Amino acid sequence: WEEQDVDLVKNIVVKVNNESYTLEPTETSFVFETTDPNTKFNVGVTVNKKGFGFANKSKKTITTSSDNATLYQEVSDLVINNTEVSFTHHIQKDSEGTLDLSSLSYDVMTQYNEILSTIVPTDVEETNDLVSIKVTVPLQLIQDQYAILFGINYEKNGVSYKNAVKDFDITTSDSSSYAASPFEVVFQNQMLVLLNLNTEYYLYESHNFYAESLHVTVDTEEEIETYQLILNDEVKYDLPYLTEGNNGIILKDLAEGHYLIQYDGKPIYTTDTIYDVWYTIYREGVAKQITIETYMGMLSVEVKDVTQTPDDVYDILIDPGHGGLDGGTEKDGVTEAEEVLKVATYIASRLEEHGLKVKLTRDDEFDPSGEGNFDYTLSPYKEEGRVEQVYRYSANYMISNHLNAFDGSLSGFEVYSSIMSTNDWASSIANEFEAIGHEARDSIKNEYRVSTGSYKSYTQCVAGEYLPNGCSSPYIDYLYIIRETGGQFSQSTSLVKYNENYEQIPNHGAETVLVEYVYLDNATDNAAWIQNWQAYGEAIVKATVAYLDIPYQK
């Protein structure tokens, strides 16, 4: 309907059977989605005027068809030349009712669903079982757009319908006629889409989720400087693109919406059918469901706020190091595996109190992959092993807990983070340790030191069987629990070596920190641990929620 005068109209009320929906006077349409076949819906629209004006009312009964109005469609004779785009659209008749040919029209739409033009066809042929419509669009109308989608409007049995123009056989009759044109023809989910090649764009190659960030690789060796997220032709986010794992396209702060992704103001084209879902962590009871997918031949991301994530998805894994046959270091009856299980359990409980969905990689003295399965090389990658769990449970973050040992001469804490991410989380933990009087190891031993108490241990990356495309970075993390939990982004390799259920490294991974609380073989550190282990655990909690932008609760 036409937009109403806000000075005269109070609101518009749409009633579908017994449900009422109140709209603003400026709204001009209402959509009610249903998949119920052969069902009657009594629809009423009331325009309530201000003051003592009478209301305008309209009623109609709509009955859905048995096949939910799906048209069997084909596209043929698609030709693009210097002046126009033309194709023949075939619609299969059905037994559900009469298609009103006089109601046919076609919308020419942009990637933002903006209708550029509505075309009424004049060349329509009809047989007993098929309607063939010749559609012609002036090239000048679409030549400045990134992508074009075609929609068909029609009436059947007195009910109006809209559908995208599709080819259920995903075929075109003469590909050579438009192969050299400025457009590439794409059938995305069977929908006919034209991609404009006569503009600047990137081609999609791959994507990775790392913690709460998205990284998209495109066909350029040049450094990407910025990324844009476009919603309905409006740039909602225009931010620097930083390459660290916990930067990239930052997902946790995105508002709900379906965004097209751009790098440096250029769209990212893809002819692949991409569909991948990821979740951010819970904040105040709400997580974000992130869906990266192909939309009209371009890369897009849809963001939805959800109050429940799948049962097998966790925000953070807390890993008590060692376990089972591997007790870790031991001194004066204090065993690392037992002690870190104690502090890990405390940390997990406290993080749950902050609203996070938390899982321990083990909750007893057994190795995570099962009693008797311990093998220092293989165990982490077996089913339910501490590395495998990161991928099984789609974790965003991981804290690996350890107690150190050397020769009794060293003391203090060490916090390790990935060379693929910033040092923010590790330095936050170090700062909280220092705030409670716990000293770092720095003054005695300084290799790989980034800041007080925080380190990045690394080694040279060597391409080989499990990195067939070479190294994306000249160095990789030395500590396996950090390297192997970061997915493809951190150049992990071992999961496919030791677990036959994985044919390739997943394209998602966790940001992991490893904490060495004390040197257990140092008498002073040993005594400090026994007295202060819970305070150390609380420091981890306080630093972690601060890093995750979650208010700290004592």
Side-chain angles (χ1 to χ4, degrees):
W1 58 84
E2 296 295 327
E3 183 175 332
Q4 303 298 304
D5 189 336
V6 294
D7 294 328
L8 301 177
V9 174
K10 179 181 178 182
N11 57 36
I12 301 169
V13 177
V14 178
K15 188 173 183 180
V16 181
N17 290 343
N18 295 321
E19 295 290 332
S20 294
Y21 307 87
T22 301
L23 312 180
E24 296 295 327
T26 53
E27 297 186 63
T28 59
S29 64
F30 175 79
V31 177
F32 178 84
E33 295 186 1
T34 178
T35 56
D36 297 330
N38 297 318
T39 304
K40 287 186 177 181
F41 291 91
N42 297 311
V43 180
V45 180
T46 302
V47 179
N48 293 312
K49 296 184 178 180
K50 294 180 178 179
F52 295 101
F54 291 102
N56 294 333
K57 297 183 179 181
S58 176
K59 292 183 179 181
K60 189 172 186 177
T61 298
I62 297 175
T63 303
T64 57
S65 59
S66 62
D67 65 353
N68 207 20
T70 297
L71 290 178
Y72 185 85
Q73 309 175 54
E74 291 182 16
V75 173
S76 69
D77 304 322
L78 195 152
V79 177
I80 303 176
N81 56 36
N82 293 332
T83 60
E84 64 185 22
V85 176
S86 64
F87 59 89
T88 301
H89 186 211
H90 306 283
I91 301 173
Q92 190 79 35
K93 291 183 178 180
D94 57 39
S95 59
E96 290 294 327
T98 303
L99 180 67
D100 183 359
L101 298 182
S102 66
S103 68
L104 288 173
S105 66
Y106 287 83
D107 292 333
V108 183
M109 297 179 290
T110 71
Q111 63 272 13
Y112 307 114
N113 288 322
E114 175 191 358
I115 297 177
L116 296 175
S117 179
T118 298
I119 296 172
V120 178
T122 57
D123 188 351
V124 180
E125 296 183 0
E126 184 178 10
T127 64
N128 290 334
D129 58 357
L130 195 69
V131 177
S132 299
I133 307 106
K134 181 69 175 291
V135 181
T136 302
V137 179
L139 191 65
Q140 185 177 5
L141 180 67
I142 63 176
Q143 62 186 3
D144 295 329
Q145 305 299 325
Y146 289 129
I148 293 295
L149 178 72
F150 299 93
I152 179 174
N153 309 298
Y154 61 96
E155 289 187 7
K156 189 168 70 171
N157 297 337
V159 179
S160 299
Y161 295 97
K162 287 179 177 287
N163 284 85
V165 172
K166 297 184 177 183
D167 190 330
F168 280 31
D169 290 336
I170 319 182
T171 60
T172 52
S173 63
D174 185 8
S175 60
S176 63
S177 65
Y178 56 90
S181 75
F183 287 91
E184 180 169 352
V185 179
V186 179
F187 284 93
Q188 179 201 319
N189 298 327
Q190 300 177 323
M191 294 187 298
L192 173 61
V193 177
L194 301 182
L195 276 180
N196 191 350
L197 303 181
N198 195 24
T199 186
E200 291 188 326
Y201 59 89
Y202 290 113
L203 286 177
Y204 166 89
E205 291 186 349
S206 64
H207 71 273
N208 287 278
F209 291 108
Y210 183 87
E212 297 182 275
S213 296
L214 169 65
H215 294 266
V216 178
T217 303
V218 294
D219 65 329
T220 182
E221 295 182 0
E222 297 179 0
E223 184 175 335
I224 301 298
E225 295 183 356
T226 61
Y227 70 90
Q228 294 76 33
L229 299 181
I230 317 296
L231 179 66
N232 297 329
D233 203 16
E234 181 180 350
V235 179
K236 290 293 186 179
Y237 300 91
D238 187 354
L239 298 168
Y241 180 82
L242 304 177
T243 58
E244 296 93 347
N246 55 337
N247 281 312
I249 298 175
I250 299 174
L251 304 172
K252 66 184 180 68
D253 297 324
L254 297 182
E256 287 189 294
H258 192 179
Y259 304 91
L260 289 174
I261 302 173
Q262 293 186 355
Y263 274 169
D264 294 333
K266 303 173 186 177
I268 301 173
Y269 285 178
T270 177
T271 56
D272 298 332
T273 300
I274 298 165
Y275 186 86
D276 199 3
V277 178
W278 188 244
Y279 294 89
T280 68
I281 67 171
Y282 282 99
R283 291 178 175 85
E284 298 182 348
V286 177
K288 294 184 184 295
Q289 177 182 294
I290 308 296
T291 304
I292 183 169
E293 59 185 335
T294 307
Y295 176 74
M296 291 185 66
M298 293 179 287
L299 196 65
S300 72
V301 60
E302 184 176 23
V303 182
K304 289 184 178 179
D305 291 342
V306 295
T307 56
Q308 184 173 1
T309 58
D311 292 342
D312 59 352
V313 171
Y314 285 84
D315 295 336
I316 185 167
L317 297 187
I318 309 300
D319 177 41
H322 307 279
L325 299 178
D326 177 21
T329 190
E330 188 272 336
K331 182 68 174 178
D332 297 333
V334 180
T335 303
E336 179 181 4
E338 296 176 359
E339 295 300 310
V340 294
L341 176 59
K342 182 169 62 177
V343 73
T345 302
Y346 175 82
I347 292 170
S349 175
R350 288 288 289 125
L351 290 178
E352 285 180 340
E353 291 176 2
H354 286 79
L356 290 169
K357 193 174 177 183
V358 187
K359 185 181 185 303
L360 286 164
T361 60
R362 64 180 179 93
D363 56 7
D364 51 36
E365 287 306 302
F366 298 133
D367 184 72
S369 58
E371 184 179 8
N373 280 340
F374 177 74
D375 181 300
Y376 190 80
T377 302
L378 302 180
S379 173
Y381 310 101
K382 291 183 178 181
E383 302 305 290
E384 295 289 348
R386 50 176 41 99
V387 167
E388 197 270 346
Q389 286 188 49
V390 167
Y391 303 108
R392 176 183 293 265
Y393 298 112
S394 301
N396 284 275
Y397 300 96
M398 186 184 205
I399 302 173
S400 185
N401 299 267
H402 290 265
L403 302 180
N404 220 333
F406 187 58
D407 62 2
S409 65
L410 299 182
S411 64
F413 70 85
E414 304 162 21
V415 185
Y416 290 88
S417 62
S418 174
I419 61 170
M420 306 302 290
S421 63
T422 67
N423 196 48
D424 295 350
W425 190 8
S427 63
S428 179
I429 293 173
N431 290 339
E432 289 299 331
F433 278 158
E434 286 195 302
I436 61 173
H438 190 23
E439 294 184 356
R441 184 202 66 177
D442 299 45
S443 59
I444 301 174
K445 195 176 180 184
N446 287 300
E447 69 270 26
Y448 306 122
R449 180 180 181 273
V450 180
S451 63
T452 301
S454 65
Y455 302 82
K456 293 183 183 291
S457 180
Y458 55 88
T459 187
Q460 190 170 2
C461 179
V462 179
E465 178 182 358
Y466 296 100
L467 284 172
N469 297 322
C471 299
S472 60
S473 172
Y475 296 98
I476 59 174
D477 288 295
Y478 176 76
L479 297 172
Y480 88 88
I481 196 64
I482 292 178
R483 179 187 68 248
E484 298 297 333
T485 55
Q488 294 178 10
F489 189 83
S490 65
Q491 305 184 97
S492 60
T493 62
S494 297
L495 191 65
V496 294
K497 293 181 185 179
Y498 304 129
N499 191 322
E500 61 184 11
N501 293 324
Y502 289 83
E503 296 182 357
Q504 63 180 17
I505 299 296
N507 69 334
H508 60 85
E511 181 181 359
T512 298
V513 291
L514 182 148
V515 182
E516 298 275 10
Y517 289 90
V518 298
Y519 276 81
L520 199 58
D521 61 352
N522 179 285
T524 302
D525 266 17
N526 192 307
W529 171 259
I530 293 172
Q531 182 176 353
N532 300 316
W533 70 266
Q534 186 168 312
Y536 297 159
E538 189 64 24
I540 295 285
V541 171
K542 192 172 183 180
T544 297
V545 297
Y547 176 65
L548 299 178
D549 293 326
I550 296 173
Y552 173 66
Q553 303 172 22
K554 292 185 178 180

